[in-house]
Amino acid sequence: MQASASQDKTRRKPGHNEGTQHPDYENITLAFRDKEELKLKQSAPKKQAQVKPSLDTSQIPPWFHRTIMILYVLLALIFSFCIILSALVLVKNSEMSRELWSLRVELLNVSSLVQQCQDQQDNHWKAVQTGIREAKSNIATVSSKVQSGNDKLKTVPADITDIKTTLKALEKKVLTRKPGLGSAHF
């Protein structure tokens, strides 16, 4: 390697001594396949505008195409995954809407049953209240009859005493009319 480098140093143009003072400087010349190409390169004017090399597929590294392809594949997978998820969401949404609809129907049935039970309970409660009112009126009637009976019983001792006095008066009258028979007939 050093032999080729020293030969390259001797092949250099004589007026080209920029890096000679620098110890790490080594002039490396490119080996051309064709000597005409070398002549064309050397004869080309140095002040000519440098043309930018076009981006050619030979200048793009091969891994770049694979990376782009992998990114496209990943993008396609993500897109298909999103479509699948959307389809699953729609299916689940339709299932849930059916379940909610059946739940709504069941709730309507339950609410109608609750309404019927409440109506029956109201009817029974009205019947109970009517029964209570009738019982109260019957109790009041019985109570008034008992009170009138008690009032009549309070007058009974007075009536008994009146009867006793009337019987005594009658007994006296009977005794005064028949003096000898008075107590034997009774």
Side-chain angles (χ1 to χ4, degrees):
M1 182 89 163
Q2 287 180 347
S4 66
S6 63
Q7 286 177 354
D8 288 340
K9 283 184 184 180
T10 56
R11 285 189 209 163
R12 274 192 359 201
K13 290 184 183 176
H16 200 258
N17 293 334
E18 298 131 6
T20 54
Q21 286 91 12
H22 195 279
D24 292 333
Y25 177 75
E26 187 174 328
N27 190 10
I28 299 172
T29 58
L30 297 174
F32 290 99
R33 291 182 189 162
D34 205 3
K35 289 187 178 182
E36 291 177 12
E37 233 180 275
L38 178 63
K39 289 179 184 176
L40 286 175
K41 291 277 185 187
Q42 289 176 352
S43 67
K46 290 186 180 180
K47 292 189 179 181
Q48 184 181 17
Q50 293 182 355
V51 177
K52 274 189 173 180
S54 65
L55 288 177
D56 195 14
T57 56
S58 62
Q59 292 178 347
I60 297 174
W63 56 266
F64 185 74
H65 291 294
R66 281 181 287 186
T67 305
I68 295 293
M69 185 56 81
I70 289 171
L71 288 176
Y72 280 136
V73 168
L74 283 176
L75 184 63
L77 286 175
I78 289 171
F79 185 70
S80 61
F81 184 69
C82 288
I83 290 173
I84 291 170
L85 279 179
S86 299
L88 287 176
V89 165
L90 287 175
V91 167
K92 285 294 181 184
N93 188 17
S94 67
E95 287 176 7
M96 284 182 63
S97 67
R98 274 188 253 121
E99 288 176 6
L100 286 174
W101 187 259
S102 65
L103 185 63
R104 180 178 178 260
V105 169
E106 289 177 14
L107 284 175
L108 286 175
N109 291 340
V110 168
S111 66
S112 67
L113 288 175
V114 166
Q115 185 65 36
Q116 288 174 357
C117 289
Q118 197 171 20
D119 291 342
Q120 287 177 355
Q121 186 179 8
D122 289 343
N123 292 337
H124 289 304
W125 182 248
K126 287 177 184 176
V128 167
Q129 286 178 339
T130 304
I132 288 172
R133 273 189 247 118
E134 289 175 1
K136 281 183 180 179
S137 68
N138 288 340
I139 288 173
T141 305
V142 169
S143 177
S144 67
K145 287 182 180 179
V146 167
Q147 185 64 33
S148 68
N150 281 342
D151 290 341
K152 286 181 183 178
L153 282 176
K154 286 180 185 176
T155 60
V156 168
D159 289 341
I160 290 176
T161 55
D162 284 343
I163 291 173
K164 281 184 183 179
T165 54
T166 307
L167 279 176
K168 282 186 186 180
L170 283 173
E171 195 176 301
K172 282 183 187 181
K173 277 186 186 179
V174 172
L175 284 179
T176 53
R177 283 191 194 171
K178 296 184 186 177
L181 291 175
S183 59
H185 284 285
F186 284 102

